[in-house]
Amino acid sequence: MLSIKNLTASINGTPVLKGIDLEIRAGEIHAIMGPNGSGKSTLGKVLAGHPSYEVTGGEVLFEGKNLFEMEADARARAGIFMGFQHPIEVPGVSNASFLRLAYNKKAEAEGRDELDPLEFDDFIHGKIKVVAMRSEFLDRSLNEGFSGGEKKRNEILQMAVLEPKLAILDELDSGLDIDALRVLGDAVNTLQRADRALLIITHFPRILEIIQPQFVHVLSGGRILKSSGKELALELEERGYDWVLAEAAAGGAR
Amino acid sequence: MTSAVASNLLSDLLSGPRPAEWEKLREEAEARLARRDLPTTSDEDWKYTDLKALAGITFGPAPKATVDISGHLLPEMVGTRQVFVNGHHAPHASCASAVAAGVRFLPLSTASEACHALGMVGPTHNQSPFEDLNTARFEDGAVLLVPKNMKVALPLHLLFITKAETPIAVFPRLMVVLERGAELELVEEHHGKGTYLTCPVVEIRLAEGAILHHERVQRDSDEAFHLGTLKAEVAKGGQYHSRTLSFGARLSRQQPWVRLAEGAEATLDGLALLDGAQVADTHSFMLHAEPHASSHQLHKCIVDGHARAIFNGQVLVAPKAQGTDAKQQSRNLLLSETARVDTKPQLEIYADDVKCSHGATVGALDPEELFYLQSRGLNADDARNLLTYGFAADVLTHIPVASLRRTLRQLVMARTQAASLGDFA
Ligand SMILES: Nc1ncnc2c1ncn2[C@@H]1O[C@H](COP(=O)(O)OP(=O)(O)O)[C@@H](O)[C@H]1O
Ligand SMILES: [Mg+2]
């Protein structure tokens, strides 16, 4: 589904991603872990099409198509979803209207029927149950005045509405208490299917106990230093990141 | 319909302390006008608002006229509207049942004794020559009285319509008095066609614990000049919440002045949507005269074309006004290279135990916000239009009258090209 080859990217002239290779197939769950500042969010934003990042080399194919020939919105309509580490507040636009708009833009792109406000109301009330959101959050302005946890809940609600093929979730657990993490983790699990894939970005392993990846990659200094099965997450929880860095340094010296 | 309560109210009002006799006020205003010319851009207060175009037009007196108001009715207020055409009260278009029992609505042309209630609010710190012009020249208007503890259920709709076949000048005059503990929602709308000058003056007196919600909608014609004055005195524990929404006029200026007594609250929000060569100026003055009052100002402008927005927000905290809580935000969105915004907060604080904050931003849309919307599948144009709409609609969110909120959202949607996104209102 997603094929990343030797991807390099920089921001304001500073290289951040220094040669990333990653293959994600349908049905898979991958986790990218790594210390703060290692380039995890950058990878997510480059994949989602943030205009501030400059792709300086390499290639990314999404379902065989060159991702870098699509603008951010085209990528979204093609089925890529990014759950943000810091979701943006948009005053004056109600959450429900925004969700309906996003849903209908995607439906239009896929040649499906758009939903009118009444139909959407039914639809969205089914979805908010999945993320245990109270319906008054639908009438409030998009993310405005939401707590960190409420914003994350809203990100997963958007994911449930848009049903992406590939969801990239950046630090879903930050700002969430353990109960909310359980609810949202379970919601993400229910959305996962054989024709969808997940890329979980996190520097805390605890979320990976709920959303269990088949593959764990350690990113540091803009490179993937180690890739392994889900047992790597446990090892990182026990031993931290330093040993991976040391191992990689030794490997590099060899 | 004469209610004993209300007649007493009026006589109480007229027997209250007065700055001067009414006729004298009128003469004084006339005398001041005779001594001064129109302000020019060399007056500090009018630095960015050039009245040359106004000076070049001769405005005649405003004739009485009839209008079709069917396009302006709001369902919550079909039975509670009072209409003024070219500054004259228009009984044919107003509603006889407009006023709840006990509330007095006194058109100045027919209840001339009510004139003696005018001029009671102030003196203000930001007096405009256009207030004097109104005081010297107005022919009609109204005094609205809500008696003690009356909570008026339906919002009251005041519609000021100007129909100018040749250039005319109109001077709407309004005084709103809420007695102790009274509550009212007031919608004041200005519409018009043709070239005209309108100089409305609105005086507001809120007695202890009275609450007024005041929505002000300026949709004057594209050739109009709107130079308005608002003066509000809020007694102990009273609340004045107003929102001024400016859409029309080639040149408009709002001069709100609010004086807060102990524990009073005020909201003075504003929105201006400007395009072409429009100029919209707001010079506000918030006077924290006594302790523990709070004020909140959010002023937003969206400026496109080579339009120009001016905001000057003065806040004065008097030495004895301890425990003051004053917030002021001026937020401006520039949609073109040639649009211009001049914004200036002016805080004068003479008390030491106060919480005062102010902030001003001028700029284009935030790229992070645009990216967020695009990452959800909206194309760049849709994302821009939605954010622009949201920037403005933010000010409309808390309008209590549902149909007005909806009408204004649709208007904003049309003006921000967000209509293509479907119905958001
Ligand atoms: N706008 C920016 N300008 C300059 N450097 C940036 C910018 N955004 C991120 N970086 C740098 O890129 C590196 C990676 O950041 P990020 O991808 O956010 O890391 P992570 O998500 O792994 O914590 C950091 O060193 C950070 O300082
Ligand atoms: Mg990050």
Side-chain angles (χ1 to χ4, degrees):
Chain A
M1 177 179 283
L2 186 76
S3 171
I4 305 177
K5 293 208 174 73
N6 197 23
L7 173 65
T8 58
S10 56
I11 180 139
N12 301 329
T14 311
V16 180
L17 301 182
K18 298 172 184 164
I20 306 272
D21 290 284
L22 188 61
E23 285 289 330
I24 301 180
R25 280 169 292 268
E28 292 179 350
I29 301 179
H30 289 247
I32 299 252
M33 303 187 66
N36 273 327
S38 58
K40 302 184 299 296
S41 293
T42 301
L43 176 62
K45 286 188 198 169
V46 165
L47 295 176
H50 195 297
S52 300
Y53 295 87
E54 192 197 348
V55 174
T56 49
E59 175 186 75
V60 178
L61 299 178
F62 178 65
E63 296 192 308
K65 279 179 288 206
N66 181 356
L67 201 61
F68 299 135
E69 280 173 3
M70 294 187 239
E71 296 290 323
D73 53 299
R75 296 182 202 187
R77 292 192 300 270
I80 293 183
F81 177 87
M82 162 103 176
F84 285 77
Q85 181 172 3
H86 302 290
I88 302 290
E89 302 192 8
V90 184
V93 175
S94 90
N95 205 15
S97 318
F98 171 68
L99 288 165
R100 186 165 71 86
L101 185 61
Y103 177 91
N104 281 341
K105 290 288 170 190
K106 186 144 189 267
E108 187 189 357
E110 292 171 358
R112 286 183 289 123
D113 282 346
E114 298 183 21
L115 297 182
D116 69 28
L118 280 178
E119 292 164 336
F120 188 76
D121 201 52
D122 286 345
F123 170 79
I124 195 68
H125 276 90
K127 297 293 180 187
I128 59 174
K129 287 204 193 83
V130 179
V131 297
M133 183 186 275
R134 292 199 309 277
S135 60
E136 69 239 40
F137 282 90
L138 292 174
D139 300 328
R140 286 174 53 179
S141 289
L142 175 55
N143 291 334
E144 194 195 20
F146 286 27
S147 71
E150 286 157 358
K151 284 180 183 161
K152 292 298 169 72
R153 206 179 283 272
N154 212 24
E155 294 290 285
I156 301 306
L157 176 63
Q158 292 176 26
M159 177 181 163
V161 166
L162 296 173
E163 304 208 351
K165 292 176 185 153
L166 171 68
I168 305 161
L169 302 179
D170 192 1
E171 308 283 0
L172 177 61
D173 50 345
S174 69
L176 288 183
D177 60 39
I178 191 72
D179 294 334
L181 179 60
R182 167 68 58 188
V183 168
L184 295 190
D186 286 346
V188 171
N189 284 332
T190 14
L191 288 167
Q192 178 56 1
R193 292 193 329 212
D195 58 346
R196 297 180 184 165
L198 277 174
L199 179 60
I200 308 292
I201 295 174
T202 182
H203 69 274
F204 288 118
R206 64 172 188 169
I207 187 177
L208 303 181
E209 288 162 25
I210 303 168
I211 307 173
Q212 298 199 353
Q214 293 97 18
F215 306 93
V216 176
H217 313 275
V218 177
L219 183 68
S220 180
R223 288 193 182 88
I224 292 182
L225 299 186
K226 193 176 178 69
S227 294
S228 187
K230 74 171 175 198
E231 66 286 351
L232 180 56
L234 291 174
E235 206 170 346
L236 291 169
E237 178 148 57
E238 280 163 21
R239 299 174 61 191
Y241 290 108
D242 289 350
W243 65 275
V244 186
L245 308 192
E247 208 179 85
R254 223 184 305 141
Chain B
M1 187 192 72
T2 48
S3 138
V5 181
S7 334
N8 290 345
L9 176 57
L10 182 60
S11 51
D12 285 355
L13 193 63
L14 297 181
S15 66
R18 299 194 36 74
E21 287 308 310
W22 168 243
E23 291 79 5
K24 214 169 141 210
L25 282 185
R26 213 161 191 171
E27 283 161 21
E28 283 167 5
E30 195 73 70
R32 277 194 298 272
L33 288 171
R35 279 198 305 272
R36 69 172 293 183
D37 294 323
L38 268 187
T40 67
T41 49
S42 47
D43 289 280
E44 183 58 30
D45 235 20
W46 293 83
K47 196 164 145 193
Y48 303 113
T49 303
D50 194 340
L51 295 173
K52 258 196 232 99
L54 174 72
I57 301 172
T58 307
F59 296 94
K64 286 194 174 169
T66 54
V67 287
D68 175 13
I69 57 153
S70 50
H72 301 304
L73 299 181
L74 296 168
E76 292 91 340
M77 299 182 276
V78 279
T80 65
R81 68 171 186 275
Q82 292 291 345
V83 182
F84 294 81
V85 181
N86 291 353
H88 305 280
H89 185 235
H92 74 275
S94 303
C95 258
S97 63
V99 185
V103 176
R104 295 292 302 272
F105 178 85
L106 305 162
L108 298 176
S109 50
T110 51
S112 58
E113 77 280 8
C115 284
H116 294 279
L118 301 177
M120 250 191 234
V121 177
T124 62
H125 297 71
N126 55 346
Q127 235 232 342
S128 146
F130 296 95
E131 181 188 347
D132 275 340
L133 201 56
N134 178 298
T135 301
R137 305 284 157 81
F138 81 83
E139 290 172 47
D140 204 349
V143 173
L144 182 67
L145 307 163
V146 183
K148 202 152 70 184
N149 293 330
M150 176 178 276
K151 309 204 179 341
V152 183
L154 290 175
L156 193 74
H157 193 187
L158 299 179
L159 204 47
F160 295 90
I161 299 177
T162 307
K163 229 169 83 174
E165 260 127 49
T166 57
I168 56 172
V170 297
F171 304 100
R173 186 84 188 198
L174 184 66
M175 171 140 200
V176 181
V177 180
L178 267 59
E179 275 290 75
R180 181 193 289 250
E183 289 179 21
L184 177 70
E185 278 173 21
L186 185 66
V187 178
E188 173 196 343
E189 267 194 87
H190 298 263
H191 292 263
K193 280 209 177 73
T195 302
Y196 57 90
L197 163 67
T198 181
C199 308
V201 174
V202 180
E203 292 181 67
I204 292 168
R205 275 221 331 195
L206 304 183
E208 278 186 25
I211 302 177
L212 178 65
H213 287 268
H214 189 188
E215 311 298 333
R216 313 175 67 216
V217 184
Q218 186 271 98
R219 296 177 68 180
D220 282 305
S221 89
D222 294 343
E223 296 88 50
F225 298 83
H226 181 121
L227 294 147
T229 299
L230 172 86
K231 312 189 283 179
E233 274 182 5
V234 189
K236 193 171 169 180
Q239 294 181 28
Y240 175 63
H241 300 291
S242 86
R243 205 172 339 242
T244 302
L245 311 163
S246 302
F247 299 100
R250 66 183 278 188
L251 185 152
S252 68
R253 168 135 154 163
Q254 299 289 354
Q255 289 200 196
W257 174 89
V258 180
R259 181 190 185 279
L260 297 173
E262 190 175 344
E265 283 176 36
T267 312
L268 208 56
D269 287 349
L271 170 68
L273 247 63
L274 309 174
D275 200 353
Q278 280 182 294
V279 178
D281 177 346
T282 294
H283 267 63
S284 67
F285 198 108
M286 184 68 71
L287 173 60
H288 281 264
E290 294 179 21
H292 302 295
S294 61
S295 65
H296 195 281
Q297 276 181 275
L298 173 65
H299 192 81
K300 284 189 156 187
C301 301
I302 299 182
V303 197
D304 205 346
H306 47 285
R308 184 161 196 173
I310 299 110
F311 177 72
N312 183 295
Q314 278 183 270
V315 177
L316 192 150
V317 180
K320 70 168 177 176
Q322 300 297 352
T324 288
D325 185 354
K327 283 197 201 73
Q328 184 188 82
Q329 295 288 325
S330 160
R331 302 258 169 261
N332 302 280
L333 180 56
L334 291 174
L335 294 184
S336 83
E337 305 260 302
T338 46
R340 225 191 126 153
V341 171
D342 294 281
T343 176
K344 182 172 160 198
Q346 261 181 284
L347 272 58
E348 273 182 82
I349 302 170
Y350 298 105
D352 43 31
D353 174 24
V354 299
K355 242 169 61 190
C356 291
S357 66
H358 66 87
T361 56
V362 180
L365 291 169
D366 179 356
E368 293 299 324
E369 295 180 17
L370 285 167
F371 174 61
Y372 187 60
L373 298 189
Q374 284 182 264
S375 78
R376 299 300 181 248
L378 273 64
N379 69 32
D381 279 344
D382 287 349
R384 257 192 302 275
N385 293 339
L386 185 62
L387 286 178
T388 309
Y389 165 78
F391 182 92
D394 182 33
V395 182
L396 311 177
T397 311
H398 300 290
I399 293 180
V401 184
S403 68
L404 181 66
R405 191 170 63 234
R406 198 178 157 77
T407 303
L408 294 174
R409 279 182 175 168
Q410 278 162 347
L411 184 64
V412 168
M413 229 183 288
R415 290 278 294 260
T416 54
Q417 279 83 48
S420 63
L421 297 174
D423 191 355
F424 269 84

